[in-house]
Amino acid sequence: MFNSILRAIGLSPKGERRQFERYPVATPLEVTVDGVAHRCIVDNVSVGGLRLEPPVAAKPGSNLTILHPASGLHLEGKLIGNDEHGARVSFNSAEAGAVVSVWVRMMHEQESARTGTV
C-alpha cells in the first residue's frame, strides 16, 4: 500500500534504482542554453527532471531554461547528459519539478483523449 502511495505522488519505493517515477509523454518544449534555443519533444517526465529528444548541443552541467511556448510555463534546469537518442535534464527545484511533472502528464493525457492516441 505504501509503495502505491509513493508511486501516486511520483516517488519510487525504497530499493528501486530511480528516485522518481517516470511518465511517458510527447510534448513540445523550447530549451535555451547559452542563448541558443533548441526545439525539443519531452520523451518522459518525473519530479526530478525530463528526457528530451533530440540531444541538446551543450556540455553536461550546462544551465538551461525550459519553456513551453503554448502555456508560458518556464523553469530552470541543468543538462545531465546526452546520448544518441536524447538529453537528460534535471530541474533546479524539486517543488517546480513536482508541479511540472503533474502538469505535463495532465496535458499529455488531455491531448491523447482529444486525438484518441495513447
Side-chain angles (χ1 to χ4, degrees), residues 10-79:
L11 299 174
S12 295
K14 188 175 181 177
E16 289 190 15
R17 185 170 98 59
R18 301 204 185 277
Q19 182 179 2
F20 303 109
E21 188 78 19
R22 293 181 179 206
Y23 301 94
V25 295
T27 301
L29 291 178
E30 182 177 288
V31 176
T32 303
V33 184
D34 296 327
V36 178
H38 305 269
R39 289 182 179 211
C40 300
I41 300 291
V42 178
D43 177 57
N44 68 54
V45 65
S46 75
V47 171
L50 46 84
R51 180 171 174 79
L52 302 170
E53 294 177 352
V56 176
K59 293 180 183 177
S62 297
N63 290 316
L64 48 82
T65 301
I66 302 162
L67 172 68
H68 183 262
S71 69
L73 177 73
H74 172 273
L75 71 151
E76 305 296 318
K78 185 172 288 205
L79 180 65

Side-chain angles (χ1 to χ4, degrees), residues 71-91:
S71 69
L73 177 73
H74 172 273
L75 71 151
E76 305 296 318
K78 185 172 288 205
L79 180 65
I80 300 302
N82 283 307
D83 59 33
E84 65 275 5
H85 303 292
R88 295 176 313 282
V89 174
S90 66
F91 298 127

